Amino acid sequence: MTKNENTSLHTEAAPAVSACFGEFQQQAEISSSETTRMGVYQFQLQPFRAAKGMVMEVEREGQHIISAHLPASFSRGVMRSASIHIRGAEYLLLAASSASRMLAHSKRWFAMFRADGKKIYATSLEQHVARVLPMEDGVSLLFMNGDSMRIKL
């Protein structure tokens, strides 16, 4: 089954994830065990039983570019992707919320990759990301508690 970009979300954590990339024109929800497309990208999210987590596979124009392991706390959460062009180069952004139904306890896995799959940044964040904003030279992450973080490229 293939899912197309900009589909609706059906969990309590979903609106927060969707709002995270609200400023990006190209975005998609990625569900476990379904192939999801977003422009030239194709995503597959599969359970990884050995580590009780998830493995995310990404292809770009038919070429495998990313294989990323997500920690177990994100194995039933919601994942979104978005793409951005910065200084003429394309970047892929990924965010996954933990499976916690309580927003205050929700963690976020956030990653940024080049279009060829090279990892720029990937980490589990203890704070909940409210929004990611595109900037001329990178992105800004705005957290629920009012903090912010800037990734400049």
Side-chain angles (χ1 to χ4, degrees):
M1 174 178 265
T2 300
K3 213 160 69 160
N4 292 320
E5 54 197 90
N6 295 324
T7 57
S8 62
L9 305 172
H10 301 288
T11 66
E12 289 181 30
V17 176
S18 182
C20 172
F21 290 134
E23 303 290 324
F24 295 83
Q25 287 186 343
Q26 191 173 35
Q27 59 178 291
E29 172 190 346
I30 303 168
S31 297
S32 179
S33 301
E34 290 184 18
T35 300
T36 304
R37 289 195 171 279
M38 181 186 77
V40 297
Y41 296 99
Q42 180 173 302
F43 304 90
Q44 186 73 39
L45 196 58
Q46 295 291 334
F48 184 60
R49 296 189 193 278
K52 296 182 182 176
M54 299 293 278
V55 173
M56 180 192 56
E57 303 285 336
V58 181
E59 291 183 6
R60 184 175 192 272
E61 297 176 333
Q63 181 180 354
H64 184 268
I65 61 168
I66 300 170
S67 182
H69 178 265
L70 283 91
S73 60
F74 302 101
S75 65
R76 291 175 301 169
V78 175
M79 177 172 259
R80 298 274 306 171
S81 63
S83 67
I84 184 173
H85 284 83
I86 300 169
R87 297 182 183 156
E90 184 177 6
Y91 295 90
L92 181 64
L93 306 173
L94 298 160
S97 289
S98 63
S100 174
R101 293 193 179 269
M102 295 181 61
L103 191 58
H105 299 291
S106 178
K107 294 181 183 180
R108 180 69 56 103
W109 179 81
F110 180 82
M112 185 174 203
F113 294 88
R114 289 186 182 163
D116 64 3
K118 182 177 179 187
K119 180 172 58 174
I120 302 297
Y121 182 83
T123 192
S124 294
L125 301 166
E126 292 298 318
Q127 298 184 61
H128 182 78
V129 179
R131 290 179 64 191
V132 178
L133 299 175
M135 308 301 283
E136 198 171 284
D137 59 352
V139 295
S140 288
L141 282 69
L142 307 177
F143 298 96
M144 293 290 288
N145 69 356
D147 288 348
S148 65
M149 180 175 95
R150 183 102 183 246
I151 300 173
K152 292 176 83 173
L153 303 169

